[in-house]
Amino acid sequence: MKISKFLFLFILLLIFGACTKTPQSLPEFSIPAITDDGWKVSSLQAQNIDISQMAEADKALKNDLSLRYIHTLTIVRNGKLVLDEFYHSGPYSYHKGNLAIMMSVTKSFTSILVGIAIDRGLIKNVSQTAQSLLPNLKNIIWSTGKNKIILENILTMSAGFAGAEDTDSLLVDNYARYMFSKPLAHTPGTTFDYRTALTNSLGNMLTTAISPLHISLEKFMDSLFFKPLEIKNYDWYYRNEKGQPELGGGLFLAPRDMIKLGQLVLDKGAWNGRQIVSENWITEATREHFHFDKRYWGELDGYGYLFWQRTLVSNSESFSSIIALGYGGQYIVIIPTLHTVIAITSWFPKDNGWQLPLRFIERYLLPALKH
């Protein structure tokens, strides 16, 4: 059968067009800006991160409706800041360039603060009793078993108090009095029970511990933690009526400052060569003190001193990770074997979908991190 001249030319044009089609261009990922915040910066490629896979991650964040509540994505690899991207606005008037709400990521910062106090001899060790750390707390019946509560129980959420996270008050006028007035439901140290109000009581303990320095808790935090970490811009949004910061969830930070906590963990307590907290504290704080046979909240494998642990899985490979986690979907995810820290800020409404950033990391980011 003969093919007409025009049809033959049309087929040739189709074949030629298919052969010469321009490959789909990949998005350009800007190297993060160099500022005075202490970060060394680099490109994704220079740190062995697959650009085509990162393009898929970028596309998902922009177009996948299930991820529309993710605000920012920040990545550090090999000690270099390689990505600091804004994707969506959110509540609390959150827009590009604003400080982001940390929620319970604040707890992991508080863990480091306790470590600094112990390093400096202001607190003896994690075996010191809560009673000795709260000498000015009156009208507490310690003999009911509360005298057995030690600092480690508070850091591991195992003090044993009755009540529940969902019904606790948080911004009370005396954080420790509120918590230690509750009866015990469990023997201290035996049962994991996540309680933000318990972490808040560390504010009272730290205030007492640092009293020989004749400075406020905020001054202590600023001079021995935030300034050495080169964090200049932060806010304690949540405070009680006395103005005391809520150490369980009140901190606001820029994403490229929040991720410094992860690098501090990777560098065994040091930041840009300066030791801020001891290596021993990092080891103890981030190791698993409680293991959950069934994943806690369906997502988390264990708990340390105000840090979580989870095994991430991608393409049949497993990666141990250390996590600072905040309500609504705030994450600092530390993956030691990949020399990588990932920070995500988000706000999934009504506590629905907060786990999606972990799924996003497993599906899109881990495959991009070449060994």
Side-chain angles (χ1 to χ4, degrees), residues 221-278:
M221 290 187 284
D222 187 66
S223 60
L224 294 180
F225 190 12
F226 292 131
K227 280 184 178 176
L229 207 52
E230 298 181 76
I231 296 176
K232 302 176 179 69
N233 189 18
Y234 62 91
D235 186 28
W236 286 102
Y237 183 85
Y238 291 119
R239 301 170 180 268
N240 64 11
E241 292 182 357
K242 293 181 179 178
Q244 298 166 321
E246 189 211 357
L247 298 188
L251 187 60
F252 273 59
L253 287 169
R256 57 188 282 163
D257 278 335
M258 72 181 282
I259 202 171
K260 289 177 180 178
L261 180 71
Q263 192 60 41
L264 189 75
V265 169
L266 277 185
D267 287 342
K268 308 298 184 184
W271 168 254
N272 281 340
R274 178 178 179 178
Q275 200 73 32
I276 294 176
V277 68
S278 65

Side-chain angles (χ1 to χ4, degrees), residues 21-27 56 59:
K21 186 177 179 181
T22 303
Q24 184 178 2
S25 61
L26 296 175
E56 290 298 313
K59 181 180 178 181

Side-chain angles (χ1 to χ4, degrees), residues 66-239:
S66 70
L67 301 177
R68 67 189 183 277
Y69 298 112
I70 290 179
H71 304 153
T72 64
L73 172 63
T74 309
I75 300 176
V76 170
R77 194 168 205 205
N78 301 319
K80 306 288 197 310
L81 184 68
V82 296
L83 190 76
D84 183 32
E85 291 291 328
F86 174 88
Y87 285 94
H88 304 286
S89 297
Y92 297 93
S93 301
Y94 185 70
H95 299 286
K96 187 174 183 179
N98 289 9
L99 298 181
I101 188 170
M102 294 293 98
M103 298 304 285
S104 287
V105 165
T106 306
K107 292 181 174 69
S108 299
F109 279 85
T110 298
S111 173
I112 302 300
L113 194 63
V114 172
I116 292 171
I118 290 176
D119 289 343
R120 292 182 171 264
L122 299 165
I123 295 174
K124 293 178 183 178
N125 51 49
V126 296
S127 296
Q128 188 168 351
T129 65
Q131 184 177 9
S132 69
L133 289 165
L134 296 167
N136 300 319
L137 194 60
K138 307 300 182 184
N139 301 319
I140 302 297
I141 305 174
W142 295 99
S143 60
T144 56
K146 297 174 189 178
N147 57 340
K148 303 296 184 183
I149 298 172
I150 61 174
L151 179 58
E152 185 172 55
N153 302 150
I154 297 165
L155 293 168
T156 57
M157 299 288 184
S158 61
F161 288 112
E165 170 76 356
D166 292 344
T167 56
D168 281 341
S169 295
L170 299 181
L171 298 179
V172 293
D173 63 353
N174 188 307
Y175 296 124
R177 182 181 306 284
Y178 172 78
M179 202 66 201
F180 281 80
S181 294
K182 293 178 178 292
L184 288 180
H186 307 283
T187 301
T190 63
T191 304
F192 180 85
D193 181 22
Y194 186 83
R195 306 287 286 277
T196 296
L198 184 62
T199 303
N200 288 344
S201 71
L202 288 170
N204 300 83
M205 297 178 198
L206 284 165
T207 297
T208 299
I210 67 173
S211 59
L213 302 180
H214 303 290
I215 60 173
S216 68
L217 179 56
E218 286 189 68
K219 181 67 175 177
F220 180 80
M221 290 187 284
D222 187 66
S223 60
L224 294 180
F225 190 12
F226 292 131
K227 280 184 178 176
L229 207 52
E230 298 181 76
I231 296 176
K232 302 176 179 69
N233 189 18
Y234 62 91
D235 186 28
W236 286 102
Y237 183 85
Y238 291 119
R239 301 170 180 268

Side-chain angles (χ1 to χ4, degrees), residues 274-292:
R274 178 178 179 178
Q275 200 73 32
I276 294 176
V277 68
S278 65
E279 180 176 343
N280 179 67
W281 183 259
I282 293 295
T283 300
E284 285 300 303
T286 60
R287 77 174 177 87
E288 189 177 85
H289 290 262
F290 272 89
H291 178 74
F292 310 127

Side-chain angles (χ1 to χ4, degrees), residues 50 53 75 84 86 91 101 122 128 157 172 188 216 225 265 306 313 317 324 326 331 333 336 341 355 366 370-371:
D50 185 88
Q53 183 61 41
I75 300 176
D84 183 32
F86 174 88
I101 188 170
L122 299 165
Q128 188 168 351
M157 299 288 184
V172 293
S216 68
F225 190 12
V265 169
L306 306 178
V313 179
E317 282 192 88
Y331 285 92
V333 179
V341 186
Q355 75 281 6
L366 289 182
K370 300 176 183 177
H371 295 269

Side-chain angles (χ1 to χ4, degrees), residues 295 298-302 308-324 331-344 354-367 369 371:
R295 279 186 158 172
E299 301 294 333
L300 302 155
D301 296 327
W308 300 92
Q309 294 80 32
R310 175 188 163 104
T311 299
L312 300 167
V313 179
S314 178
N315 296 327
S316 300
E317 282 192 88
S318 297
F319 304 91
S320 295
S321 71
I322 300 158
I323 297 176
Y331 285 92
I332 303 171
V333 179
I334 305 147
I335 313 171
T337 58
L338 296 177
H339 312 289
T340 298
V341 186
I342 299 164
I344 291 175
W354 63 268
Q355 75 281 6
L356 289 178
L358 289 174
R359 306 273 195 276
F360 170 78
I361 289 170
E362 290 181 316
R363 179 176 177 182
Y364 291 103
L365 299 187
L366 289 182
L369 300 170
H371 295 269

